Amino acid sequence: MPIIEIKNLTKSYRVYQKQEGLMASVKGLFKREYKAVHAVKDISLEVEEGEFVAFLGPNGAGKTTTLKLLSGVINPDKGTCSVMGYTPWERKNQYRRRFSLVMGQKNQLWWDLPALESFRLNQHIYGVPKADFDATRDQLCDMLDVTRLLNQPVRELSLGERMKMELIAALLHKPDVLFLDEPTIGLDVIAQHKIQEFLKAYQQEQNNTVLLTSHYMKDIEALCKRVVIIANGEIYHDGSLTQIVDKFSGDKVVTLHLADSVDRDAFKDLPNLIDVTPPKIKFRVQREKVGAVLSGILNSYAVDDIVVEDPPLEEVISNAFSAAEAAGKVG
Amino acid sequence: MSATHPPRREDSASESSTLESLQARLSPSYLHVFLTFARNSLVRDMSFRMNFILQCCATMSWAAMNFGLFKIIYRHTESIGRGTGWFEDEFFIFLGTIWIINSFIQTFFMANAEEFSELIRTGNLDFALLKPIDTQFLISFPRVNWAQLPNGVLGAILILVSLNNLAADPDRTIYISIWNIFPFMFYVMCGVLVMYSVMIVLASTSIWLGRNQNLYTFWFYVTNFYRYPMEIYQRNGIGMALWATFTFVVPILVVSNVPARVLAQPMGRSWMNWEAGYAVLAAVGSLVASRYVFNLALKSYRSASS
């Protein structure tokens, strides 16, 4: 039985359309125009226990709305959802004790107090026995290397440090299901990497179920085997990372390391050339033609080394997004 | 995995029974949560020392001016309203009662109600909704504004001094014993509950309005009417209309008057009449109403932005 089951979930917002200018604002006092924004349209999804799933999609695609529905913060217009057997928007305490939502854009820690005080508050709210609380806190602080910052007011922490504290605050009660909404947003590469490493180690150890949204492909590559692409409130693709690469990129990137004797001008007119930095030449080839093209080159030229790669994930995903957007407009 | 980790599924009967026992153990301790809130607020207030001291000074000087104003008024008249029994000492008992109720409200709820409004606007109410604890409790108590507490102490002092004056005056009939403190505190608490409910209802409207910065203003308008003995309204048509509104629609008048009467006993009137019973009913009724409105409002919460 899947741990998360979503069926035909739909949520739309009514948004006030403000016109430009003073007269329009005055008019807006009496008569307002609203536009319905369909944040999530008829989404169905199943997640098994212990899965680490990424939600990918452009801004406003409905990723965060889906996580908010799953955590019961907002009510849907239509559809059903069950997480560990609970309906999230009933907000039962039994359910709320067993999951956590971390939002990179919002913070739940007391701004003027050391993070430790917020942890203690969560301990009492979740009713975690003191011994367990101490053990979990020490373990998490150790993994994230923030023990020395525990007594510093949150407002004096860097963004990366604060995010680590947010994660600890969300994990103290050992949730079975974890929703992460852009946990690495705004962080530098090193801090991002630290958090990725932590999440990976933590998930492997606890075997909990994690849903992650992120804009950073590195997060996805490092953590998730399964990727769900959401655009315009609809699921556009659900599958492994490799499938996405296959589906949205027909090309491979070939890098040749030419022997010194080869005349480089011969490659000047190669179609889909990406980069020439002697002795390396990088170009793009359609997947099914890789064999033919390479054997042709190998027959005619001396080549020291060949690397055939998938194109960068960023590029693939951006293709996927554009395809999804286009489909949305047509549909 | 540690032993306290709740089981993942309740597939079998044995698992579900361990789950229940775990849940009993892991239930939140409301008292602990409240004490942590109070403690954290105190730590926070103390770390902004000057701000804390200035706030204490400001509230206390407000009390002093309030007191001075009525001192001046009583230079012109013997009692507020003819034949009401609210002579100077009696009235200062009334005033002290109001200060105590206000001080409770401002210490425990005012900052939270404003914060609640802000949580809605910024979408930060999300965090409160995620916690396995009553949401209304969680948003009602996080900030304890300790700097407002001195007013309550001043109110108590004012009451004690005035009671002392009354007891020393051979012309007055006042029957007071130490036991009166219990009904007094009980009815003060009823008053606090009613005022709290009014505030929660006002703050909840932010969910529909998107923003409600009028909380203080509304609060000022409303409390303006509960700060006086109800007898002064019961004179003509407009007065009766006000009295009825603030007794039956928004029952704030009755909850300030009943506790004050317990101690002040104007004209030797007993406080044990229909108003006392009604004050209890009003307290329970407004609390139920505030919970209803609060939950209704939560249904419309949209969680601003991401």
Side-chain angles (χ1 to χ4, degrees):
Chain A
M1 201 186 113
I3 195 162
I4 300 176
E5 248 183 314
I6 303 175
K7 276 203 194 101
N8 311 105
L9 210 54
T10 299
K11 171 81 186 173
S12 46
Y13 294 106
R14 216 167 62 120
V15 185
Y16 165 44
Q17 296 293 295
K18 197 184 168 310
Q19 308 292 322
E20 205 185 303
L22 181 65
M23 277 317 288
S25 292
V26 174
K27 226 166 80 187
L29 283 174
F30 303 101
K31 191 167 175 279
R32 296 198 158 187
E33 279 170 32
Y34 290 94
K35 198 176 99 186
V37 173
H38 303 288
V40 171
K41 282 186 264 184
D42 205 25
I43 278 186
S44 299
L45 188 74
E46 285 185 0
V47 177
E48 294 295 329
E49 188 178 347
E51 269 195 290
F52 204 132
V53 182
F55 278 16
L56 263 180
N59 285 333
K63 301 172 304 241
T64 304
T65 306
T66 309
L67 288 194
K68 280 178 180 170
L69 285 165
L70 283 172
S71 27
V73 169
I74 47 176
N75 299 349
D77 300 334
K78 263 203 313 245
T80 60
C81 174
S82 144
V83 185
M84 296 177 285
Y86 298 101
T87 302
W89 43 91
E90 284 173 4
R91 298 198 197 114
K92 289 213 172 93
N93 283 348
Q94 293 98 307
Y95 173 56
R96 296 197 286 194
R97 202 165 289 128
R98 291 178 62 189
F99 80 94
S100 246
L101 168 67
V102 178
M103 290 176 279
Q105 310 262 42
K106 291 181 182 176
N107 96 88
Q108 68 155 325
L109 303 171
W110 282 52
W111 192 245
D112 295 315
L113 293 179
L116 189 57
E117 307 291 349
S118 297
F119 296 168
R120 235 178 242 139
L121 180 65
N122 273 7
Q123 178 205 343
H124 293 310
I125 289 177
Y126 286 93
V128 183
K130 185 158 185 338
D132 297 340
F133 167 77
D134 288 344
T136 316
R137 182 200 57 204
D138 290 346
Q139 188 207 358
L140 292 171
C141 288
D142 216 42
M143 283 172 91
L144 283 163
D145 190 28
V146 287
T147 312
R148 79 214 129 78
L149 300 170
L150 276 178
N151 290 308
Q152 209 161 302
V154 170
R155 64 166 189 271
E156 283 162 22
L157 298 176
S158 74
L159 184 60
E161 290 163 347
R162 209 175 76 212
M163 204 53 232
K164 289 176 180 175
M165 296 299 189
E166 289 280 343
L167 276 171
I168 296 174
L171 297 174
L172 283 169
H173 62 286
K174 301 204 165 183
D176 293 308
V177 173
L178 187 57
F179 303 125
L180 301 168
D181 189 21
E182 300 182 21
T184 56
I185 194 157
L187 302 187
D188 65 56
V189 184
I190 300 166
Q192 275 180 31
H193 187 66
K194 282 255 169 68
I195 291 200
Q196 284 158 15
E197 275 187 334
F198 165 76
L199 287 174
K200 194 167 190 172
Y202 183 80
Q203 199 266 344
Q204 271 166 8
E205 189 199 306
Q206 301 282 328
N207 191 38
N208 38 22
T209 311
V210 185
L211 259 60
L212 167 99
T213 76
S214 177
H215 287 303
Y216 298 111
M217 295 313 137
K218 289 273 181 283
D219 284 354
I220 316 282
E221 266 181 313
L223 298 169
C224 310
K225 291 194 187 73
R226 179 174 166 198
V227 177
V228 176
I229 295 186
I230 302 185
N232 297 318
E234 285 170 290
I235 293 185
Y236 193 68
H237 176 88
D238 182 354
S240 67
L241 255 187
T242 6
Q243 279 177 329
I244 289 190
V245 176
D246 289 347
K247 184 169 172 185
F248 296 103
S249 171
D251 295 346
K252 287 270 180 185
V253 173
V254 178
T255 311
L256 298 179
H257 198 124
L258 299 172
D260 292 340
S261 56
V262 178
D263 173 21
R264 277 166 200 118
D265 289 343
F267 289 89
K268 251 188 183 162
D269 300 325
L270 206 65
N272 298 322
L273 199 65
I274 299 173
D275 188 32
V276 185
T277 13
K280 278 190 195 165
I281 285 180
K282 209 173 182 180
F283 58 97
R284 208 180 269 273
V285 183
Q286 275 187 340
R287 195 176 293 266
E288 50 274 20
K289 289 189 186 154
V290 171
V293 170
L294 282 186
S295 67
I297 289 173
L298 287 174
N299 284 337
S300 325
Y301 305 98
V303 176
D304 285 348
D305 192 16
I306 300 175
V307 181
V308 181
E309 297 165 302
D310 284 322
L313 195 55
E314 272 88 355
E315 189 190 306
V316 179
I317 299 292
S318 122
N319 286 348
F321 283 180
S322 339
E325 297 265 333
K329 281 192 185 106
V330 174
Chain B
M1 197 178 295
S2 94
T4 56
H5 203 300
R8 297 188 181 284
R9 302 269 182 75
E10 310 96 275
D11 289 342
S12 67
S14 70
E15 265 194 1
S16 74
S17 73
T18 39
L19 188 75
E20 268 160 33
S21 72
L22 271 166
Q23 268 158 9
R25 242 180 77 212
L26 292 178
S27 64
S29 153
Y30 282 83
L31 181 67
H32 270 125
V33 172
F34 174 71
L35 290 177
T36 313
F37 280 149
R39 185 180 157 278
N40 284 0
S41 302
L42 194 63
V43 171
R44 183 169 162 273
D45 283 354
M46 296 294 186
S47 67
F48 300 107
R49 209 165 34 165
M50 260 337 264
N51 183 53
F52 180 72
I53 294 169
L54 279 175
Q55 226 187 334
C56 285
C57 292
T59 53
M60 282 164 73
S61 22
W62 177 83
M65 286 187 274
N66 200 219
F67 176 74
L69 175 71
F70 285 105
K71 267 284 180 206
I72 294 169
I73 290 175
Y74 275 103
R75 284 282 159 89
H76 299 279
T77 178
E78 260 199 341
S79 79
I80 290 191
R82 225 172 320 131
T84 61
W86 291 104
F87 300 104
E88 187 169 346
D89 286 318
E90 281 92 344
F91 182 77
F92 280 129
I93 292 173
F94 188 95
L95 195 63
T97 309
I98 295 294
W99 287 1
I100 292 177
I101 296 178
N102 269 348
S103 147
F104 268 110
I105 289 293
Q106 302 204 321
T107 305
F108 295 104
F109 304 120
M110 191 82 210
N112 293 312
E114 285 189 309
E115 183 70 18
F116 176 49
S117 198
E118 201 53 23
L119 288 179
I120 291 160
R121 198 179 62 80
T122 56
N124 273 325
L125 188 64
D126 293 1
F127 288 113
L129 293 172
L130 295 173
K131 297 286 190 292
I133 193 166
D134 186 78
T135 307
Q136 189 173 350
F137 170 83
L138 199 62
I139 62 106
S140 295
F141 290 103
R143 299 243 186 282
V144 178
N145 191 356
W146 291 104
Q148 299 289 347
L149 210 54
N151 256 2
V153 177
L154 287 181
I157 293 172
L158 184 60
I159 289 174
L160 285 176
V161 171
S162 309
L163 272 180
N164 196 40
N165 291 346
L166 278 183
D169 189 337
D171 296 338
R172 309 288 176 88
T173 48
I174 185 160
Y175 305 97
I176 200 94
S177 80
I178 190 78
W179 298 110
N180 286 50
I181 189 80
F182 293 108
F184 174 74
M185 280 317 290
F186 174 77
Y187 284 107
V188 162
M189 282 306 138
C190 288
V192 170
L193 280 183
V194 169
M195 300 312 274
Y196 161 77
S197 308
V198 171
M199 192 169 271
I200 284 291
V201 169
L202 283 178
S204 297
T205 57
S206 318
I207 286 190
W208 295 294
L209 302 179
R211 161 170 246 183
N212 191 350
Q213 290 186 318
N214 304 314
L215 216 56
Y216 251 122
T217 327
F218 274 129
W219 181 247
F220 179 76
Y221 293 154
V222 168
T223 54
N224 231 348
F225 289 100
Y226 101 123
R227 277 190 273 165
Y228 305 100
M230 59 165 68
E231 285 86 349
I232 69 165
Y233 296 105
Q234 297 166 328
R235 185 105 327 187
N236 58 18
I238 298 173
M240 284 310 276
L242 280 175
W243 170 79
T245 307
F246 290 107
T247 301
F248 298 110
V249 185
V250 189
I252 53 173
L253 202 51
V254 69
V255 287
S256 61
N257 273 265
V258 173
R261 278 190 192 175
V262 171
L263 296 183
Q265 302 165 22
M267 308 288 284
R269 276 202 299 273
S270 159
W271 56 273
M272 280 181 273
N273 49 24
W274 70 270
E275 281 132 353
Y278 179 68
V280 179
L281 195 73
V284 176
S286 357
L287 199 62
V288 171
S290 83
R291 245 190 121 65
Y292 174 76
V293 174
F294 180 80
N295 285 327
L296 195 70
L298 282 192
K299 288 212 175 84
S300 309
Y301 176 59
R302 292 168 44 136
S303 174
S305 185
S306 46

